[in-house]
């Protein structure tokens, strides 16, 4: 441990303790009768109004992805990183189309996870298992991204940075993992929801200050954009290509427009297929809360765009650019920028915001993955008479296993751009689009056709991502590859393949009259707005006292 | 099933203009952010911001506005009392999980 700035370090620790302390206290204040009930630990009692839901869903967007991964990509490659901005715009109109339907049908039938819906809609346990497996798998790299984000901040703070020993070098990663594990185990969903509220206020504060203050130090926006434009036009002596793009380009030399659009579209469709985003949705009290949130949430994206611009500020600040270059890790761009631009106490506030901003979504994600395992794999296939207390215990332990998986992703995958971790999760989760989004509107697809399409999409997507290489890594180096002469996000090509197979096989299976399975949902239930709580809570109310 | 289907169809049939307006609003909100060639250029600038960058910033409140209008229009579509016709299935279905 060296070069630790005492002021920054103290402020980070103090803020962290205060914020989590207040979060836990607030969670206790509105606590339900029985924390050992999965509906309580895992869905916060399904009682969140528009306001809390806004923070909960916003928290899904505002993660280390926003603060570390996107600016890192902008710093390294320029305008392609702004796909994240386009993505966080178009996600809301896309979700506006299907999410209220999912909320309604889930509330009527007491579904807690996306896999519950799949099972009810198609009468297929196999398809539900596929959905659960995909959700858990896809969340691991996304959680890994949060760990890498915390690692980046701790590294710049000087925790365990300068050593060649693998364990010491990865020490920040292990610290991040430990803090997250303890935090989730104790909290359940209620505390993260409360903390989301405080940390977002903290984040708004320092981002707004940074956006107004840093440009004045760097000679204004005109200068920042000017330096960035010149920088990305520079031809690299190693690759004989420009370092990046200042706006997405078309034409023969590295066309990035299709890549830009496909990354944005793929990510937008993927976001609300993730179990944690669906968890956030189902925790809402009313259908109108969901719609209202789709209206307010784009305002969150404004901030994301400003944060992406930190990547250009890091390019325009010679000291930061040199620091990042020396470390060889683009993820350090924002932490180094803040460290150089701000007095150490303010840097402490910002760093605390980023750390908590990664911790909260990571907790929500691992809770969602654990719910998925418990509900749709453990109870469904192994122990149908599990008591609610056993379910909650199970979820707690599984959430730990999921985080261990995430740690593995964080250690093993190349670190050039951590955004690839999220995009890899996206490739997998997108394969649920035909069965989940399709299923919300039509029962036309045959369950076996969907399963086959899903399988093909998963295999194709995984292999394609594995085969992407770069100058520094032989595998898993990116999330786009070249199809028919154009660079496209693999997730999108894989889901198109998935969809085509599902359509063709459905036609075949219908013609041969293979049984389609029972559908327990009714058309009007997709528009329903039941009052307050659903009929009995999903995991069996009243049984909650035993165990 | 047929009853519910015909009801949602009749909602669209009863308000063709409103339904079309909702579709257009949502589709436009998606299209104008998806179609990158439309805005991936440098000029005209707004202040110091090249077109690509300020377009995306201005687009966000525009999306909020479009969805707000769409939600407002959707309220006109719902026949009073239609959506509330609830969920007789719910009780028996979720109850059965305990029994198993």
């Amino acid at each position: 441990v060296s070069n630790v700035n005492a002021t920054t370090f103290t402020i980070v620790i103090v803020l962290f303790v205060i914020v989590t302390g207040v979060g836990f206290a607030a969670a206790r204040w509105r606590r339900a009768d029985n924390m050992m009930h999965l509906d309580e630990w895992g869905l916060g009692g399904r009682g969140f109004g528009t306001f809390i839901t806004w923070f909960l869903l916003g928290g899904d967007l505002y993660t280390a992805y926003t603060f570390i991964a996107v600016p890192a990509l902008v710093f390294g490659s320029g305008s392609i990183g702004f796909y994240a901005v386009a993505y966080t715009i178009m996600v809301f109109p896309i979700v506006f189309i299907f999410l209220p339907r999912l909320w309604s049908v889930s509330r009527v039938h007491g579904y807690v996870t996306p896999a519950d819906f799949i099972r009810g809609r198609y009468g297929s346990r196999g398809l539900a298992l596929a959905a659960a497996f995909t959700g858990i798998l896809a969340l691991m790299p996304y959680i890994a991204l949060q760990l890498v984000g915390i690692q980046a901040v701790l590294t710049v703070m000087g925790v365990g940075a300068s050593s060649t020993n693998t364990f010491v070098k990865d020490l920040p990663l292990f610290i991040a993992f430990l803090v997250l594990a303890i935090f989730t185990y104790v909290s359940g969903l209620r505390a993260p929801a409360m903390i989301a509220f405080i940390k977002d206020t903290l984040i708004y504060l320092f981002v707004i200050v940074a956006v107004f203050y840093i440009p004045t130090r760097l000679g204004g926006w005109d200068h920042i954009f000017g330096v960035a434009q010149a920088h990305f036009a520079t031809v690299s002596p190693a690759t004989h290509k420009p370092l990046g793009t200042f706006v997405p380009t078309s034409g023969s030399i590295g066309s990035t427009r299709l890549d830009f659009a496909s990354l944005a579209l793929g990510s937008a469709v993927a976001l609300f297929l993730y179990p944690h985003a669906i968890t956030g949705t189902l925790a809402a009290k009313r259908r109108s809360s969901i719609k209202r949130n789709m209206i307010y949430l784009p305002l969150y994206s404004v901030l994301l765009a400003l944060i992406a611009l930190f990547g250009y500020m890091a390019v325009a600040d010679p000291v930061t650019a040199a620091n990042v270059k020396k470390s060889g890790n683009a993820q350090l761009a924002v932490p180094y920028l803040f460290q150089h631009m701000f007095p150490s106490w303010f840097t402490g506030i910002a760093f605390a915001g980023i750390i908590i901003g990664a911790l909260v979504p990571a907790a929500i994600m691992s809770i969602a993955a654990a719910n998925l395992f418990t509900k749709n794999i453990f109870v469904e296939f192994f122990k149908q008479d599990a008591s609610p207390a056993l379910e909650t215990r199970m979820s707690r332990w599984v959430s730990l296993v999921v985080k261990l998986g995430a740690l593995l992703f964080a250690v093993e995958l190349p670190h050039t751009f951590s955004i690839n971790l999220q995009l890899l999760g996206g490739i997998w989760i997108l394969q649920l689009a035909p069965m989940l989004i399709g299923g919300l509107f039509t029962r036309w697809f045959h369950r076996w056709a969907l399963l086959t399409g899903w399988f093909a999409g998963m295999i194709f997507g995984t292999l394609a991502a594995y085969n992407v290489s770069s100058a520094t890594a032989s595998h898993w180096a990116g999330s786009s590859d070249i199809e028919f002469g154009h660079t496209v996000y693999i997730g999108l090509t894989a889901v198109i393949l998935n969809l085509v197979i599902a359509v063709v096989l459905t036609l075949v299976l219908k013609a041969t009259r293979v049984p389609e399975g029972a559908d327990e949902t009714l058309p009007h239930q997709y528009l329903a707005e039941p009052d307050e709580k659903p009929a009995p809570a999903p995991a069996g109310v009243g049984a909650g006292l035993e165990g | 099933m047929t009853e519910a289907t015909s009801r949602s169809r009749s909602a669209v049939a009863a308000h063709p203009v409103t339904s079309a307006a909702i579709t257009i609003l949502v589709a436009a909100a998606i299209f104008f952010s998806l179609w990158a060639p439309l805005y991936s250029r440098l000029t005209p600038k707004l202040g110091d911001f090249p077109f690509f960058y300020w377009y995306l910033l201005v687009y966000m409140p525009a999306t909020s506005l479009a969805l707000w209008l769409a939600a407002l229009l959707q309220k006109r579509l719902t026949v009073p009392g239609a959506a509330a016709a609830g969920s007789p299935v719910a009780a028996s279905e979720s109850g059965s999980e305990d029994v198993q």
Side-chain angles (χ1 to χ4, degrees), chain B residues 28-92:
Chain B
I30 297 170
F31 177 81
F32 287 104
S33 55
L34 181 62
W35 203 251
L38 204 69
Y39 57 89
S40 58
R41 48 202 171 87
L42 295 169
T43 51
K45 276 183 160 191
L46 184 72
D48 293 335
F49 279 63
F51 187 79
F52 176 74
Y53 298 94
W54 70 257
Y55 176 90
L56 284 171
L57 278 170
V58 171
Y59 199 87
M60 291 162 194
T63 306
S64 280
L65 199 69
L67 292 183
W68 178 69
L69 282 173
L72 217 62
L73 290 172
Q74 272 183 346
K75 275 191 189 152
R76 290 178 46 181
L77 282 185
T78 45
V79 186
S87 48
V89 191
S92 63

Side-chain angles (χ1 to χ4, degrees), chain A residues 82 85 89-90 108-109 222 225 229 246 248 257 260-261 291 294-295 298 301-302 312 375 384 524 538 540, chain B residues 7 26 30 33-34 39-40 42 45 48 52-53 59-60 63-64 67 74 85-87 89-90 93 97-98 100:
Chain A
F82 279 81
V85 179
I89 296 173
M90 75 179 85
V108 171
H109 287 276
D222 198 35
F225 281 123
Q229 189 172 5
F246 185 61
R257 276 181 193 172
F260 179 93
K291 277 193 191 167
M294 295 311 126
I295 298 167
S301 316
V302 175
Y312 284 166
K375 283 277 300 171
Q384 301 219 332
H524 71 267
Chain B
R7 191 178 59 225
V26 175
I30 297 170
S33 55
L34 181 62
Y39 57 89
S40 58
L42 295 169
K45 276 183 160 191
D48 293 335
F52 176 74
Y53 298 94
Y59 199 87
M60 291 162 194
T63 306
S64 280
L67 292 183
Q74 272 183 346
S87 48
V89 191
E93 190 275 330
E97 277 179 25
D98 305 359
Q100 282 174 348

Side-chain angles (χ1 to χ4, degrees), chain A residues 49-70:
Chain A
T50 306
F51 193 61
I52 299 281
T53 305
W54 194 69
F55 282 105
L56 200 58
L57 292 179
D60 293 340
L61 279 177
Y62 263 134
T63 69
Y65 175 80
T66 320
F67 287 106
I68 302 293
V70 172

